Amino acid sequence: MTGKICIVTGHFPPQRSAVGDYALRLSEALVNSGAQVCVLTSIASREEAFREGIRVSAVASGWGLRGVWQVIKVLRRERPHVVNLQYVPQMYNRYGVNLSVALLPFTIRCVLHVPVITTCHEFIGSTRTLKAALLQAFYALQTLLILLGSRRVVVPVEAHIRIFQTYFRPLARKARLIPVGSNIPVRRVPRETPAREKTPGAENWTLTTLGTGHLWWNYELALRTAFYLRENGHKIHLKCIGDIEEANPAYFAKLRALADELRLN
């Protein structure tokens, strides 16, 4: 892909963030494909610098109207062919409510006449906050604004597509599923003998899940995998990193029940 692409993200390395790391990997892939990449991010990601062919501009001290307008001014100067917005509600506001950012794709389209592709990692808050009807209305409105303003919306899990088809059917055609893979480098393990000649035996396994307790991450698969490996004679250590119990108590209880059924405790 050629041309200039500007990526707008609230987080970017050296900040520690899954979305920031995703934005970095995307930037590297675009540069490798021949595109020019400019990343517009928050001041917390440090001042303007060059990172492996990626120009990083720390332009926003916050993501209210002032910060968003600063992004618009920089985009006007950069004159990109495409803008990509990395979107997670809580990345731009503690409670996930920020209409300024939700309006950004529509503003870019109207002011700069540049297409926007939004990568929508999540578009709702935690299960606890969804109990408030007012916040539900805000999340729905923000999702609608994102869909209206963006030429395409990229989502990482199929469940998001189904939500769009259920609640935003006329706009669901804009959504595209691109699953997120692991960013952990894979290293081959040398073997003294070919695997088929090696006598199978017990091994130590560590399985790890990362993230909050959203149903679409399918933590049941990790539990059943641990059960399968244990039944085949392996020693298992399962780590779940994240606030599953706090974010979604009902789902956590369901997982505990499954763990009890599989005798994984």
Side-chain angles (χ1 to χ4, degrees):
M1 183 176 183
T2 59
K4 178 182 283 189
I5 300 173
C6 282
I7 297 176
V8 180
T9 175
H11 296 161
F12 199 77
Q15 282 183 299
R16 298 183 64 182
S17 163
V19 176
D21 190 72
Y22 179 99
L24 173 61
R25 303 296 178 183
L26 175 61
S27 301
E28 291 172 341
L30 291 171
V31 167
N32 291 338
S33 69
Q36 302 176 52
V37 176
C38 174
V39 177
L40 308 184
T41 187
S42 63
I43 300 286
S45 294
R46 298 183 185 174
E47 297 299 325
E48 185 170 324
F50 286 89
R51 182 186 176 93
E52 301 176 0
I54 304 163
R55 187 152 55 87
V56 182
S57 297
V59 300
S61 57
W63 293 96
L65 287 173
R66 183 177 180 180
V68 168
W69 185 245
Q70 182 65 25
V71 169
I72 293 294
K73 290 196 296 184
V74 176
L75 288 174
R76 180 177 288 170
R77 184 177 70 242
E78 292 290 341
R79 302 180 65 181
H81 296 89
V82 177
V83 174
N84 171 243
L85 172 64
Q86 297 291 316
Y87 184 72
V88 175
Q90 282 78 7
M91 186 165 63
Y92 299 103
N93 178 275
R94 179 180 178 183
Y95 298 102
V97 177
N98 191 322
L99 293 180
S100 299
V101 173
L103 280 167
L104 186 56
F106 187 79
T107 305
I108 293 171
R109 191 180 73 178
C110 294
V111 175
L112 305 178
H113 307 289
V114 174
V116 179
I117 298 175
T118 300
T119 304
C120 199
H121 299 271
E122 294 180 12
F123 47 86
I124 59 175
S126 69
T127 302
R128 291 178 302 156
T129 58
L130 282 177
K131 294 178 181 178
L134 181 59
L135 285 177
Q136 291 188 52
F138 268 114
Y139 295 141
L141 176 59
Q142 289 176 159
T143 303
L144 178 61
L145 293 174
I146 289 287
L147 285 168
L148 287 172
S150 304
R151 175 163 306 177
R152 291 287 183 269
V153 175
V154 176
V155 296
V157 291
E158 189 174 354
H160 290 175
I161 297 286
R162 294 196 293 269
I163 291 174
F164 286 156
Q165 291 173 341
T166 300
Y167 298 103
F168 306 96
R169 179 173 292 276
L171 298 172
R173 57 182 174 77
K174 291 188 176 185
R176 296 293 185 272
L177 174 65
I178 302 180
V180 176
S182 171
N183 61 359
I184 301 174
V186 178
R187 180 176 299 176
R188 290 184 176 274
V189 178
R191 294 178 179 270
E192 296 180 359
T193 58
R196 63 178 179 273
E197 298 178 8
K198 187 176 180 179
T199 302
E203 297 181 355
N204 293 324
W205 287 76
T206 297
L207 301 179
T208 305
T209 65
L210 304 172
T212 53
H214 290 300
L215 300 177
W216 46 73
W217 295 129
N218 194 6
Y219 291 91
E220 292 89 345
L221 178 61
L223 295 178
R224 296 189 185 282
T225 300
F227 172 78
Y228 173 82
L229 291 171
R230 190 195 63 186
E231 291 299 298
N232 282 271
H234 302 293
K235 298 178 180 179
I236 306 301
H237 186 197
L238 177 62
K239 292 183 178 180
C240 296
I241 302 173
D243 60 345
I244 301 176
E245 182 175 10
E246 182 179 358
N248 196 333
Y251 185 45
F252 181 77
K254 180 181 177 181
L255 293 176
R256 285 294 300 268
L258 178 60
D260 292 339
E261 177 186 338
L262 300 176
R263 304 186 307 280
L264 294 177
N265 295 329

